[in-house]
Amino acid sequence: MAESVELPSRLAILPFRNKVLLPGAIIRIRCTSPSSVKLVEQELWQREEKGLIGILPVRDSAETATVAPSLSQGLGTDSVERNSKSQVGVSDAHKHESKNAQEVIHWHNRGVAARALHLSRGVEKPSGRVTYIVVLEGLCRFNVQELSTRGTYYTARITSLDMTKTEMEQVEQDPDFISLTRQFKATAMELISVLEQKQKTGGRTKVLLETVPVHKLADIFVASFEISFEEQLSMLDSVDVKVRISKATELVDRHLQSIRVAEKITQKVEGQLSKSQKEFLLRQQMRAIKEELGDNDDDEDDLAALERKMQNAGMPAHIWKHAQRELRRLKKMQPQQPGYNSARVYLELLADLPWQKASEEHELDLKAARERLDSDHYGLVKVKQRIIEYLAVRKLKPDARGPVLCFVGPPGVGKTSLASSIAAALGRKFVRISLGGVKDEADIRGHRRTYIGSMPGRLIDGIKRVSVCNPVMLLDEIDKTGSDIRGDPASALLEVLDPEQNKTFNDHYLNVPYDLSKVIFVATANRIQPIPPPLLDRMEVIELPGYTPEEKLRIAMQHLIPRVLDQHGLSFDFLQIPEEMVKLVIQRYTREAGVRNLERNLAALARAAAVKVAEQEEAVPLSKDVQRLASPLLESSLADGAEVEMEVIPMSVNNHDISSAFKASSPLIVDEAMLEKVLGPARYDDRETAERVATPGVSVGLVWTAFGGEVQFVEATAMVGKGDLHLTGQLGDVIKESAQIAMTWVRARATELKLATVEESNLLEGRDIHIHFPAGAVPKDGPSAGVTLVTSLVSLFSQRRVRADTAMTGEMTLRGLVLPVGGIKDKVLAAHRYGIKRVILPERNLKDLVEVPSHVLSSLEILLARRMEDVLEQAFEGGCPWRQHSKL
């Protein structure tokens, strides 16, 4: 025990960061920083007698210091272990000064003198750094009069704060002191008794109560508690023994109450446990703690809120009965049990689904709907008329089960935006479900709840997101669903799109029927062929062909250019794109059915303009028309031709006057030079067709792709060989068979067509034929290249060139009949885009020309063919001279 000690007038100071050493406490520290090592070495290690040092608390620089001078000096780190002669805890860390880091030290003005009980010296390897482990005992309090440095560490001029023996005897006669002493000892004895029962310790602590003075006992007891730094400082500052004992009594009593609360919680938990519940011990303890804090009803409140939410969801009676059964099961489960979270998420889904909630449809105004469609979409007259018919039926019979519309067309023609326009016209919410690449049936029907990570299907999830039971749901890219071992999503969609079945749609996760009959389904696809026939039978297909160059021009001027300028922070005052330049972009840089590439090219021009606008650092000159504005501020502060960056405009000035008064420099007008600089050289040339058919053996065909119609060149050449036919260009089986049919037909009629003499009627004798479909990286298939293949072979064998302004399409039989093909509208539009003037079509496709815009037909010469000879007659310049010799 620390006896009375006479302190020197100056002590070396070891700072403790956010820690306090009280008299009577014992602490173990490890000194590693150069300053603390130097202090221990000079003040303790090299002295034969037991040296004394001062322990002074310091605050973090981030905290507000209430006392002490401030020195610009850093603090290092030393590890600390603390105890007292009673049972004392372990502290975390001790920080002392270091000159490596620069920060302000906020010193406390009172500290504790300490002596070293044990010293040990060590050397770290491989650095060779010297460290000390020091065991210190707190002796008495002191007050700092002056703080100074000695080498790398601090020293302080101090005065002792301990009472003299005479002063202490006078205090002990004070009745208040006697009362405080009795109260402290009674509380301390009660704490010791509780600890003895809990830890089975001996009576060593009781001896302290009888032998150690009370004012020292107060420090010893408090030093053994884990209390805050502020409370430690308050205890250190309690120089008055009565104040010190009073604070110690309060802290001891608080510690005693915390032990009793912990015992009460433990007893309550143990009483509630049974053999089957021992694994939930930690959870029960947490619940008991919450009960003591009055915060134990969180789970119950959540379940009650969930039950109220389920009651307000408007579930049908049989589903509500099922939900109640699941809720009762959930209430019986512990939150940590397997399946608790999945059961709760399932009930939350049942509560969130809109069983009865629907969008309030406003009265349909067909005129407003037509105007909305016209403002959002240019052209597409037939498609918009079909949508108006659909809306008219909905107006006359709101609960009518209309057909499922399926918009089929190339990318960029407005299929998705048409679906959103339908939702806007009906006043319903719109939700888009992307089916591209979906191969798992569970994406449509959901996963069964027995699986880990199960979730509802995309349809139920989409309805949950919009929170109404009657949205307009877009099934996007319905032609791109696949199938594998996990099921066929297209087959699962059969139930969704069937009006007789979808009113009891069964999602595997939901496991109760859900009514989808109020949902308006709209589908989109690029191609019809991949859609299974049963699924296609449930939808009404509306084809959206590609746009003509004239339609693209109008779309660009009315929709694309304003949108692109707005997206790039520009206006027509900064950038102007004339119609002629837009035409050049359409002709030279885009050959597509839609307008996406056109919009990208316009965006490139807008970005180039944005760079020039952003780089203008000069202020915008004011127009002389500013003087016309009724603004005294302007008249007094601006002169003609002055330049300003900002001016205050009175509220009375009209915005139109402002825009007309402040004019920037002349806008950037796009010309051909800028087109080539920004977009690069022209990608397409009208002379391409003439150049490619300049050699005999090349013909021009028309094909249909998922991106619209395209022009397809067919090239044929002969070489020395054994009579083989070579086909290249990533061709499918159907087009390979078409090539075989074309070769057989030409060889069978070689003599009649004067391609060979009677004696040498075998065209393949001594030579091979190679037919190529550029480009080789693009897969190709289909029967519509039959007439093009025959024309290419006849051109090769006759060494006559095919007309450069003529393209053709049609399937051919072995007897020379030309059969009708599909995609006529897209193919004719492709020919128009490429600058083709004459198009040869099967005669039986005449009816399909009704869908082609009249201005496109007026610019083309449509030639109808019934037999292959009709095609050859029109494909060559001057007709087919061999037809008169033919006996067909």
Side-chain angles (χ1 to χ4, degrees):
M1 181 54 54
E3 65 277 2
S4 299
V5 61
E6 184 177 350
L7 296 180
S9 61
R10 183 171 291 275
L11 281 178
I13 298 299
L14 185 63
F16 272 22
R17 184 193 291 273
N18 296 334
K19 290 292 179 183
V20 175
L21 176 65
L22 293 175
I26 295 177
I27 191 168
R28 179 178 181 270
I29 65 171
R30 183 171 181 264
C31 300
T32 58
S33 65
S35 58
S36 61
V37 169
K38 194 70 174 176
L39 183 149
V40 172
E41 197 168 73
Q42 293 186 0
E43 302 293 334
L44 300 177
W45 182 262
Q46 296 177 358
R47 293 174 181 250
E48 295 181 359
E49 71 278 3
K50 294 181 179 180
L52 296 179
I53 62 173
I55 305 299
L56 201 61
V58 297
R59 295 173 179 268
D60 285 334
S61 58
E63 299 180 8
T64 303
T66 57
V67 292
S70 296
L71 300 176
S72 296
Q73 184 67 31
L75 288 180
T77 302
D78 288 332
S79 61
V80 177
E81 297 175 5
R82 185 183 65 188
N83 56 31
S84 73
K85 293 198 174 179
S86 60
Q87 296 294 329
V88 185
V90 177
S91 71
D92 297 329
H94 164 59
K95 313 278 186 170
H96 63 87
E97 75 271 26
S98 170
K99 290 188 178 181
N100 297 330
Q102 293 296 323
E103 70 178 74
V104 176
I105 303 176
H106 300 288
W107 301 88
H108 197 62
N109 62 343
R110 287 173 182 167
V112 172
R115 67 181 175 186
L117 299 181
H118 175 75
L119 279 174
S120 63
R121 190 171 186 265
V123 179
E124 292 184 351
K125 294 182 179 180
S127 63
R129 184 175 61 171
V130 176
T131 62
Y132 286 94
I133 295 178
V134 186
V135 179
L136 297 172
E137 179 187 11
L139 298 178
C140 59
R141 292 172 173 80
F142 63 77
N143 192 53
V144 177
Q145 300 295 326
E146 180 187 357
L147 191 67
S148 60
T149 58
R150 179 185 298 170
T152 59
Y153 59 90
Y154 293 99
T155 63
R157 185 164 57 85
I158 63 169
T159 57
S160 177
L161 295 176
D162 273 8
M163 290 184 175
T164 63
K165 185 175 181 181
T166 304
E167 292 173 342
M168 195 64 216
E169 289 176 352
Q170 292 178 356
V171 171
E172 288 176 351
Q173 303 301 321
D174 189 344
D176 292 338
F177 176 79
I178 297 173
S179 175
L180 288 171
T181 301
R182 290 174 181 173
Q183 184 180 1
F184 173 77
K185 286 189 174 183
T187 307
M189 184 61 71
E190 192 174 357
L191 174 62
I192 292 171
S193 301
V194 172
L195 291 176
E196 284 182 351
Q197 295 176 1
K198 185 178 180 65
Q199 301 176 358
K200 306 300 181 183
T201 58
R204 187 177 59 181
T205 310
K206 291 183 179 179
V207 177
L208 292 175
L209 292 175
E210 300 171 358
T211 59
V212 179
V214 179
H215 64 282
K216 294 184 178 181
L217 272 179
D219 288 330
I220 294 173
F221 268 80
V222 171
S224 65
F225 300 151
E226 290 293 336
I227 57 178
S228 68
F229 181 56
E230 295 298 331
E231 290 175 323
Q232 293 177 23
L233 287 179
S234 176
M235 194 66 187
L236 177 64
D237 292 337
S238 300
V239 178
D240 189 313
V241 292
K242 291 189 289 185
V243 175
R244 187 188 313 166
I245 294 173
S246 176
K247 289 183 179 180
T249 304
E250 180 184 348
L251 292 173
V252 171
D253 184 65
R254 189 175 71 185
H255 190 64
L256 176 62
Q257 295 302 322
S258 65
I259 293 176
R260 286 176 172 172
V261 171
E263 284 184 346
K264 185 178 179 181
I265 293 172
T266 302
Q267 293 172 359
K268 190 170 184 178
V269 170
E270 290 176 351
Q272 293 176 350
L273 291 178
S274 64
K275 288 184 178 181
S276 62
Q277 292 177 321
K278 287 183 179 179
E279 61 193 55
F280 306 132
L281 175 62
L282 295 176
R283 183 67 62 179
Q284 292 287 353
Q285 287 180 343
M286 184 178 293
R287 180 174 295 179
I289 291 172
K290 288 184 177 181
E291 287 181 2
E292 290 295 327
L293 296 176
D295 190 24
N296 65 320
D297 55 350
D298 287 349
D299 292 338
E300 287 75 7
D301 283 350
D302 289 346
L303 291 179
L306 177 60
E307 186 173 8
R308 289 193 300 270
K309 189 176 180 181
M310 292 169 59
Q311 291 172 350
N312 298 330
M315 303 179 191
H318 63 287
I319 297 177
W320 171 242
K321 185 176 180 181
H322 168 77
Q324 282 184 312
R325 184 168 62 251
E326 291 289 333
L327 183 61
R328 287 195 298 270
R329 176 172 167 265
L330 179 66
K331 289 180 177 179
K332 295 177 182 178
M333 298 173 65
Q334 297 294 336
Q336 70 276 9
Q337 278 187 259
Y340 179 88
N341 287 331
S342 60
R344 180 164 181 165
V345 170
Y346 172 70
L347 289 176
E348 288 177 349
L349 174 64
L350 289 179
D352 290 337
L353 280 178
W355 300 94
Q356 304 291 339
K357 183 181 178 182
S359 298
E360 295 183 4
E361 297 186 23
H362 50 72
E363 185 177 355
L364 279 173
D365 186 349
L366 295 183
K367 183 179 180 181
R370 192 187 300 274
E371 291 176 354
R372 173 68 183 267
L373 290 172
D374 289 337
S375 64
D376 292 346
H377 308 274
Y378 182 85
L380 305 176
V381 177
K382 183 179 178 181
V383 177
K384 290 191 284 190
Q385 181 59 33
R386 179 63 186 88
I387 294 175
I388 292 297
E389 294 171 359
Y390 180 84
L391 297 178
V393 174
R394 300 287 306 186
K395 181 176 182 180
L396 298 177
K397 188 174 176 58
D399 57 345
R401 294 181 180 177
V404 177
L405 301 181
C406 180
F407 298 124
V408 178
V413 296
K415 300 184 296 296
T416 302
S417 55
L418 278 172
S420 62
S421 297
I422 294 175
L426 290 172
R428 294 193 181 190
K429 290 188 177 182
F430 177 72
V431 57
R432 174 179 170 271
I433 307 296
S434 178
L435 299 178
V438 173
K439 295 184 178 181
D440 192 351
E441 181 186 352
D443 281 329
I444 307 298
R445 292 188 183 274
H447 303 80
R448 299 189 185 277
R449 286 196 292 139
T450 53
Y451 298 135
I452 296 176
S454 59
M455 61 183 67
R458 298 193 181 196
L459 301 179
I460 295 297
D461 184 65
I463 290 177
K464 175 189 172 184
R465 279 189 280 120
V466 295
S467 300
V468 290
C469 63
N470 64 339
V472 175
M473 183 173 290
L474 173 64
L475 304 177
D476 206 8
E477 309 292 354
I478 199 172
D479 59 327
K480 295 178 178 58
T481 59
S483 61
D484 57 14
I485 57 173
R486 294 173 293 180
D488 183 7
S491 300
L493 287 172
L494 294 177
E495 178 186 1
V496 175
L497 300 182
D498 191 335
E500 299 298 328
Q501 300 181 43
N502 61 13
K503 57 186 177 182
T504 56
F505 174 70
N506 189 11
D507 184 276
H508 289 160
Y509 182 87
L510 200 59
N511 204 28
V512 291
Y514 189 85
D515 187 5
L516 293 178
S517 61
K518 299 176 183 178
V519 179
I520 296 179
F521 290 100
V522 180
T524 66
N526 295 129
R527 301 167 57 200
I528 297 178
Q529 288 79 6
I531 303 176
L535 181 60
L536 190 63
D537 182 61
R538 284 165 168 75
M539 300 184 294
E540 179 182 342
V541 176
I542 300 177
E543 294 189 357
L544 278 72
Y547 296 112
T548 65
E550 290 76 12
E551 290 174 336
K552 289 183 180 180
L553 178 62
R554 299 274 71 81
I555 292 172
M557 301 306 296
Q558 297 178 16
H559 299 279
L560 299 184
I561 293 179
R563 184 167 67 195
V564 166
L565 293 179
D566 180 67
Q567 290 173 351
H568 292 78
L570 300 173
S571 66
F572 289 102
D573 295 334
F574 296 101
L575 177 65
Q576 293 182 6
I577 307 178
E579 283 193 14
E580 293 301 322
M581 294 302 102
V582 178
K583 287 182 180 179
L584 289 181
V585 174
I586 294 171
Q587 294 171 2
R588 298 181 182 179
Y589 296 94
T590 62
R591 279 187 179 173
E592 55 171 348
V595 292
R596 285 182 181 165
N597 282 331
L598 175 59
E599 185 174 6
R600 292 188 187 103
N601 286 307
L602 294 176
L605 296 174
R607 289 194 299 271
V611 171
K612 293 186 177 181
V613 172
E615 288 178 346
Q616 290 179 355
E617 297 181 357
E618 297 83 4
V620 179
L622 289 177
S623 170
K624 292 185 179 182
D625 293 337
V626 172
Q627 300 297 333
R628 301 174 188 173
L629 293 176
S631 171
L633 178 62
L634 291 178
E635 292 174 359
S636 62
S637 61
L638 298 177
D640 291 348
E643 291 186 353
V644 297
E645 294 184 355
M646 183 179 69
E647 185 55 78
V648 180
I649 305 298
M651 294 301 293
S652 59
V653 180
N654 187 275
N655 288 337
H656 177 72
D657 296 334
I658 295 173
S659 62
S660 63
F662 294 92
K663 289 291 185 181
S665 57
S666 59
L668 179 64
I669 300 177
V670 177
D671 55 11
E672 287 193 48
M674 183 177 178
L675 282 183
E676 188 167 351
K677 181 180 179 181
V678 177
L679 303 181
R683 300 173 191 170
Y684 306 102
D685 191 350
D686 292 340
R687 297 170 296 177
E688 180 184 5
T689 305
E691 293 173 356
R692 297 187 69 166
V693 299
T695 305
V698 181
S699 58
V700 185
L702 296 173
V703 297
W704 182 90
T705 69
F707 302 96
E710 291 290 340
V711 169
Q712 174 67 61
F713 293 93
V714 178
E715 302 174 350
T717 188
M719 55 192 167
V720 176
K722 300 179 181 179
D724 296 333
L725 177 63
H726 303 279
L727 301 172
T728 56
Q730 281 209 59
L731 308 180
D733 293 336
V734 176
I735 202 168
K736 288 180 180 179
E737 293 175 355
S738 297
Q740 292 287 352
I741 294 172
M743 191 71 224
T744 300
W745 187 88
V746 172
R747 292 179 63 187
R749 287 153 181 79
T751 305
E752 290 83 351
L753 297 174
K754 298 300 183 180
L755 301 179
T757 61
V758 177
E759 294 79 8
E760 301 177 356
S761 59
N762 187 4
L763 294 176
L764 298 181
E765 185 175 356
R767 58 182 173 180
D768 290 347
I769 304 298
H770 187 162
I771 300 177
H772 178 62
F773 287 73
V778 180
K780 309 167 190 69
D781 203 2
S784 61
V787 297
T788 313
L789 285 163
V790 172
T791 305
S792 176
L793 290 172
V794 171
S795 173
L796 173 67
F797 292 132
S798 66
Q799 288 300 299
R800 296 192 60 182
R801 292 180 297 181
V802 179
R803 293 185 58 158
D805 61 348
T806 304
M808 61 199 73
T809 184
E811 181 181 359
M812 191 200 71
T813 68
L814 201 58
R815 300 181 61 82
L817 294 177
V818 179
L819 300 182
V821 292
I824 293 299
K825 182 177 181 179
D826 291 312
K827 293 177 181 179
V828 172
L829 292 177
H832 180 65
R833 286 198 303 270
Y834 273 76
I836 301 294
K837 302 301 181 184
R838 303 167 76 243
V839 178
I840 302 175
L841 300 176
E843 187 179 54
R844 290 166 61 183
N845 280 121
L846 178 63
K847 62 182 183 301
D848 298 316
L849 295 176
V850 178
E851 301 178 358
V852 181
S854 57
H855 67 275
V856 175
L857 289 177
S858 62
S859 64
L860 295 174
E861 182 182 357
I862 305 297
L863 306 169
L864 302 177
R866 187 176 182 183
R867 297 183 58 85
M868 193 61 228
E869 290 82 355
D870 300 331
V871 176
L872 297 177
E873 180 72 22
Q874 303 294 340
F876 292 92
E877 192 72 42
C880 182
W882 318 284
R883 189 169 186 178
Q884 56 184 342
H885 305 288
S886 177
K887 299 179 181 179
L888 299 178

